[in-house]
Amino acid sequence: MVCSSKERPTLGGTRIKTRKRNIAAPLDPAAFADAVVQIYLDNAGDLELVAKNIESAELNFSRYGDTFFEVIFTGGRTQPSTTKPDEGERHPYSILDCEPKREVILPSVIYIQKILRRKPFLIKNLENVMRRFLQSLELFEETERKKLAIFTALAFSQKLSGLPPETVFQPLLKDNLVAKGLVLSFVTDFFKNYLVDNSLDDLIALLKRGKMEENLLDIFPSAKRSPEGFTEHFTKEELLPLVEYHEKKIFEVKMKEMKATLTAQISEETDVSEVIETVKQHVKDAKLPDIEVVRILWDVLMDAVQWSGKNQQQNANAALRQVKTWAKLLNTFCTSGKLELELMYKVQMQCYEDTKLMKLFPEIVRSLYDQDVLAEDTILHWFQKGTNPKGRQTFVKALEPFVNWLEEAEEEE
């Protein structure tokens, strides 16, 4: 049998090729840290010179990014998963070694910004180190925590490349840190320093991005966790704009809750006496001003009406029926001429803003008068001296026949 192809001979002693394995170099963060520390020492902590030397140094930043920021913050390497110094060289120019002053810490923030522009991948390592330090606040001295708070405030003020707020704020909300008051102290220092260069609106936007704006009370130990505790603490710390913002926020939440409760009760046609008690309880609990109560009541009552798209008479009937049904509710809280006038302005604005209600203004006012919600003096005051200009000319003209009737009736008496 003849083979179609000859077998190739092999030479003895020939090396057979094998695929090379990728052998990873052993980790050596200590040598990396020592090299970075030496750069600090060689340049006597001059951060501009340090930055230039860091940029030209042949060091493996992608592998030892966390170690690099440990050296920046603490002056040397820290032990794994802690804030404790590890063996090796250290330098005295770190963030935690400097004075707790904005002007002293700012150069370090600018220095880090320069490094991140050249090596943007390091932002993840900065996040890692900051997260670890903030989760371990109890391991730092009080002045060191203050320095970290100042650095964090300046980092966001300078818009440090890509640092996400949730990286900073979320690790703080550990129960043990909150209970010891460490988070409240840190956040207070942060707020104070951030607001030096930024507005309250900037701070609120930052807190929203960090998913903390809705949960500001969570930074307080449980014994002080209340709106009153918030007001007392930040008033003492002279952060009054923040206090005013928070009080307004709480007020809006309580108003929303009251509105939701009333909407449900009115749609279910709950007995008017029960609805009145509900409103009184909300007013008491939330300390709502009378004028806001009147505004909410009218909004809720009119929102509950099933309006017709085109049939004006149906709309008139529905509005007047709602006024008659809930007149006792309005009467209970329109307890002065000022509040009655506010109700008239509310009716005026609704009729002005909703074209299908524009012609209903005089009928609604007449119905409120018939149900003893609006007094004659209030209507005459609005007619003669009303200050809201929205649609006023039209509404005054429309109400004129009813006002004439009131004046004639008064003369006859």
Side-chain angles (χ1 to χ4, degrees):
M1 185 176 177
V2 180
C3 293
S4 59
S5 62
K6 291 184 179 180
E7 199 172 309
R8 291 182 182 179
T10 58
L11 296 172
T14 302
R15 292 175 62 187
I16 299 171
K17 289 184 179 180
T18 58
R19 184 175 293 172
K20 289 182 180 179
R21 287 180 298 163
N22 291 323
I23 301 172
L27 286 171
D28 190 7
F32 176 88
D34 288 347
V36 176
V37 168
Q38 195 58 51
I39 291 173
Y40 272 86
L41 295 173
D42 289 345
N43 294 282
D46 184 321
L47 293 179
E48 285 196 19
L49 296 176
V50 171
K52 287 179 182 177
N53 281 272
I54 289 289
E55 189 179 339
S56 60
E58 294 184 4
L59 295 171
N60 194 343
F61 287 94
S62 59
R63 178 173 262 195
Y64 302 117
D66 284 16
T67 303
F68 176 60
F69 285 108
E70 289 171 8
V71 173
I72 291 177
F73 277 98
T74 71
R77 199 159 59 100
T78 61
Q79 294 178 16
S81 302
T82 72
T83 62
K84 295 178 180 178
D86 207 343
E87 295 177 357
E89 295 289 328
R90 308 194 76 75
H91 70 83
Y93 310 108
S94 73
I95 292 169
L96 295 183
D97 282 320
C98 68
E99 291 181 81
K101 295 180 179 177
R102 292 167 50 80
E103 63 273 19
V104 178
I105 294 175
L106 180 59
S108 290
V109 178
I110 295 170
Y111 158 69
I112 291 174
Q113 184 76 288
K114 285 180 182 176
I115 299 294
L116 290 175
R117 283 181 187 142
R118 301 285 191 276
K119 306 179 192 299
F121 59 89
L122 284 175
I123 188 65
K124 285 295 179 188
N125 302 104
L126 176 59
E127 288 181 45
N128 293 341
V129 173
M130 287 190 71
R131 188 184 296 112
R132 185 179 359 130
F133 285 178
L134 295 178
Q135 285 176 334
S136 310
L137 280 179
E138 74 270 26
L139 301 179
F140 292 98
E141 299 292 332
E142 185 178 348
T143 55
E144 291 176 332
R145 292 194 291 270
K146 188 178 183 70
K147 292 169 194 175
L148 285 174
I150 294 172
F151 171 84
T152 306
L154 290 171
F156 286 119
S157 288
Q158 295 293 316
K159 296 179 172 56
L160 200 63
S161 303
L163 184 65
E166 58 268 27
T167 297
V168 174
F169 297 130
Q170 292 307 309
L172 287 171
L173 298 177
K174 286 177 66 177
D175 290 344
N176 64 316
L177 298 179
V178 173
K180 293 175 183 176
L182 299 180
V183 176
L184 180 58
S185 177
F186 178 92
V187 169
T188 301
D189 285 331
F190 171 84
F191 286 170
K192 282 183 167 182
N193 283 279
Y194 184 80
L195 288 170
V196 171
D197 297 323
N198 302 275
S199 69
L200 181 67
D201 288 342
D202 293 330
L203 176 60
I204 298 306
L206 187 66
L207 292 172
K208 284 180 178 177
R209 282 165 48 213
K211 300 174 184 175
M212 263 193 73
E213 189 259 350
E214 297 284 345
N215 309 305
L216 282 176
L217 286 180
D218 290 351
I219 65 176
F220 284 78
S222 55
K224 299 179 180 178
R225 192 175 299 161
S226 67
E228 295 76 19
F230 187 101
T231 297
E232 182 182 347
H233 174 77
F234 286 111
T235 299
K236 185 179 176 183
E237 295 293 340
E238 298 181 350
L239 290 171
L240 291 178
L242 183 63
V243 171
E244 290 168 4
Y245 171 83
H246 192 252
E247 288 179 344
K248 183 182 176 185
K249 179 107 182 147
I250 289 174
F251 176 75
E252 288 171 353
V253 168
K254 289 179 176 178
M255 294 257 287
K256 195 173 180 181
E257 288 172 352
M258 175 177 163
K259 202 167 183 179
T261 304
L262 284 176
T263 298
Q265 287 188 323
I266 287 168
S267 65
E268 293 165 5
E269 298 183 354
T270 305
D271 184 78
V272 67
S273 299
E274 188 179 333
V275 177
I276 288 170
E277 288 307 310
T278 298
V279 176
K280 285 181 177 178
Q281 192 59 49
H282 274 280
V283 170
K284 182 181 177 183
D285 293 344
K287 299 176 183 175
L288 296 175
D290 294 340
I291 203 163
E292 292 295 342
V293 175
V294 170
R295 289 169 181 165
I296 289 174
L297 289 178
W298 185 256
D299 283 341
V300 170
L301 290 176
M302 291 299 105
D303 287 346
V305 174
Q306 299 295 317
W307 301 108
S308 167
K310 296 179 180 178
N311 194 314
Q312 196 71 9
Q313 191 56 50
Q314 280 186 14
N315 286 333
N317 292 340
L320 300 179
R321 186 164 53 248
Q322 191 78 327
V323 169
K324 187 174 181 180
T325 302
W326 298 101
K328 185 179 176 183
L329 175 64
L330 291 169
N331 232 324
T332 304
F333 297 97
C334 283
T335 54
S336 68
K338 181 181 177 182
L339 294 174
E340 289 177 22
L341 187 61
E342 183 58 36
L343 179 59
M344 276 203 76
Y345 285 138
K346 218 28 206 168
V347 175
Q348 176 186 345
M349 284 304 297
Q350 185 176 25
C351 292
Y352 173 77
E353 291 171 354
D354 192 337
T355 51
K356 69 175 176 289
L357 304 180
M358 180 75 80
K359 294 181 180 178
L360 297 186
F361 180 76
E363 294 182 68
I364 293 173
V365 172
R366 175 69 183 255
S367 180
L368 289 168
Y369 170 79
D370 290 342
Q371 300 298 327
D372 292 327
V373 177
L374 293 180
E376 179 182 333
D377 289 346
T378 302
I379 297 170
L380 293 175
H381 179 90
W382 179 92
F383 185 81
Q384 294 162 1
K385 301 178 182 178
T387 55
N388 192 325
K390 299 290 179 69
R392 177 169 170 76
Q393 200 170 357
T394 301
F395 294 138
V396 165
K397 188 174 182 181
L399 198 62
E400 191 170 4
F402 177 56
V403 169
N404 289 339
W405 177 83
L406 284 176
E407 290 175 334
E408 287 170 7
E410 188 177 2
E411 286 173 7
E412 287 176 9
E413 288 177 9

